[in-house]
Amino acid sequence: MSTRVLIVDDHAMFRAGVRSELAAAPSVDVVAEAEDVDTAVAAVLAQAPDVVLLDVHLPGGGGAEVMRRVGPSATRFLALSVSDAAEDVIGTIRAGARGYVTKTITGPELVSAIGRVAGGDAVFSPRLAGFVLDAFAGTIEVAAVDEDLDRLTEREREVMRLIARGYSYKEVASELFISVKTVETHMSAVLRKLQLSSRHELTRWASDRRLL
């Protein structure tokens, strides 16, 4: 019997690519797609899929909001995201996901991950498993990280992560399709909200919290 899957991602081309990859696997049956929190919740309730492939960042509140609104159910959630940041991984697992893999995963690997999650296992991309272990071991102060990040908007988090990784303002502007002036404005807000004085302090702050 095939595993019934719902694909949730706000990019139609990505959903189409995943559907195409999964179409070759007789063990997987894609029953629906959704593009935001509202359509995802509606699809889960209507289709009762075995596994939901869930993007972390979605219009309307994100993957965690989908799981919160669906509530307890037999459906299992597997995060499939471009983000490999510790706060995204830990926050998604805390919200109820049974696994977290990045979008660099191959088609066969994804089929295997879906099967394992459907069977009750937890599945993580290799590097990400360490974040979860560190969080439960207390190496990462999850509550403190969440509290600090909650002060930042989604765009400020994106700018923060790129700057902390060593990107120039111009490179950040190009990556996020915004102006250099806007990057500078976001960076000033990030430093103020986190009570830091320079990008060097920001890099150290982000590295200490496994956000790079």
Side-chain angles (χ1 to χ4, degrees):
M1 187 174 176
S2 59
T3 301
R4 303 173 72 255
V5 172
L6 165 65
I7 302 171
V8 181
D9 194 282
D10 59 339
H11 294 99
M13 287 184 65
F14 180 76
R15 294 197 308 272
V18 172
R19 180 183 278 271
S20 177
E21 288 284 352
L22 297 181
S27 62
V28 175
D29 177 23
V30 178
V31 296
E33 298 179 14
E35 62 184 3
D36 56 25
V37 170
D38 288 340
T39 56
V41 173
V44 172
L45 298 179
Q47 299 289 340
D50 300 309
V51 174
V52 176
L53 293 179
L54 185 65
D55 194 12
V56 173
H57 299 294
L58 291 168
E65 177 66 11
V66 173
M67 290 182 280
R68 187 190 70 77
R69 284 172 54 180
V70 168
S73 76
T75 296
R76 292 187 169 97
F77 293 87
L78 172 61
L80 176 61
S81 177
V82 69
S83 172
D84 61 359
E87 80 272 17
D88 285 335
V89 178
I90 296 165
T92 302
I93 298 304
R94 291 171 74 198
R98 290 293 300 171
Y100 194 118
V101 294
T102 60
K103 290 181 177 178
T104 57
I105 194 171
T106 66
E109 287 171 343
L110 182 57
V111 170
S112 173
I114 289 169
R116 289 172 59 193
V117 168
D121 288 346
V123 179
F124 300 95
S125 294
R127 175 170 174 263
L128 308 186
F131 292 153
V132 179
L133 291 174
D134 285 347
F136 283 104
T139 307
I140 299 177
E141 294 295 333
V142 179
V145 171
D146 286 350
E147 184 178 333
D148 287 336
L149 289 170
D150 281 346
R151 301 188 191 120
L152 307 181
T153 65
E154 189 68 38
R155 180 62 87 185
E156 287 168 353
R157 292 187 194 191
E158 291 174 333
V159 170
M160 175 272 291
R161 192 171 294 117
L162 292 175
I163 291 293
R165 286 176 174 173
Y167 282 57
S168 68
Y169 285 6
K170 186 176 180 180
E171 288 170 334
V172 174
S174 176
E175 182 82 10
L176 300 180
F177 302 101
I178 56 180
S179 70
V180 172
K181 182 67 176 176
T182 301
V183 174
E184 292 173 349
T185 300
H186 286 315
M187 185 60 175
S188 294
V190 167
L191 293 177
R192 184 182 72 254
K193 290 178 181 181
L194 298 180
Q195 298 181 321
L196 302 172
S197 60
S198 70
R199 63 183 299 160
H200 300 295
E201 284 191 7
L202 177 64
T203 298
R204 188 163 60 247
W205 179 91
S207 178
D208 287 346
R209 289 158 179 78
R210 307 288 184 89
L211 301 182
L212 300 181

